[in-house]
Amino acid sequence: MSKHDNKLRGNAGERIAESYLKKHGYRILSRNFSTETGEIDLIVTDNEYLIFVEVKARLSDEFGLPSEAVDIRKQRKISMVASQYIKKNMLFGAPVRFDVIEVYLETESINHIKNAFESYLRY
């Protein structure tokens, strides 16, 4: 599978995840927030938490669960980018959560893993 195919699959997964989140009452604050450190797919709120969402889209789980791709290295990178978002938007003290949304493209089914990992936030 080419990088272009991966990007198309990722974009489709993000659209499906965004639609799911909106339908479940979340408000989208940012899409594809990026810095020199990395990118966060979606930043949302449920009026209680500031939620950083990593979307992992797959055709199937033949090669493992999509969420398994969010390893400790990826978690640290997401945390660093999240801290940059918090600094940029002066959201110090906001309760924060890190979610992973698995999207299975063939069926458009979703597995929303709330509080998928602990924060490595550093301000």
Side-chain angles (χ1 to χ4, degrees):
M1 182 150 304
S2 74
K3 276 191 173 197
H4 178 71
D5 290 340
N6 284 339
K7 184 69 175 156
L8 289 175
R9 184 172 56 213
N11 290 341
E14 287 172 19
R15 282 192 306 274
I16 293 166
E18 183 176 341
S19 176
Y20 162 87
L21 288 167
K22 285 180 180 176
K23 188 170 29 168
H24 287 85
Y26 293 84
R27 188 166 46 93
I28 309 300
L29 302 175
S30 182
R31 294 169 191 82
N32 303 114
F33 175 78
S34 60
T35 69
E36 65 284 344
T37 305
E39 178 183 82
I40 295 177
D41 296 326
L42 295 167
I43 302 171
V44 304
T45 185
D46 63 358
N47 294 323
E48 183 178 351
Y49 288 95
L50 176 63
I51 306 163
F52 298 93
V53 181
E54 177 69 10
V55 178
K56 288 297 178 189
R58 300 287 187 271
L59 294 174
S60 72
D61 61 4
E62 180 180 353
F63 299 106
L65 297 174
S67 60
E68 292 173 341
V70 186
D71 59 14
I72 192 76
R73 184 189 59 78
K74 181 73 171 170
Q75 292 172 19
R76 284 192 179 118
K77 184 178 274 198
I78 292 168
S79 293
M80 287 190 304
V81 177
S83 69
Q84 292 169 332
Y85 180 86
I86 289 168
K87 285 179 200 172
K88 179 181 179 193
N89 293 284
M90 305 292 287
L91 295 170
F92 305 105
V96 171
R97 193 174 84 202
F98 292 88
D99 291 4
V100 174
I101 295 184
E102 298 175 322
V103 178
Y104 295 93
L105 295 170
E106 288 193 353
T107 60
E108 293 193 8
S109 62
I110 286 179
N111 180 28
H112 183 180
I113 305 166
K114 295 178 182 177
N115 211 21
F117 59 90
E118 292 299 314
S119 168
Y120 293 92
L121 281 176
R122 301 288 178 263
Y123 298 127

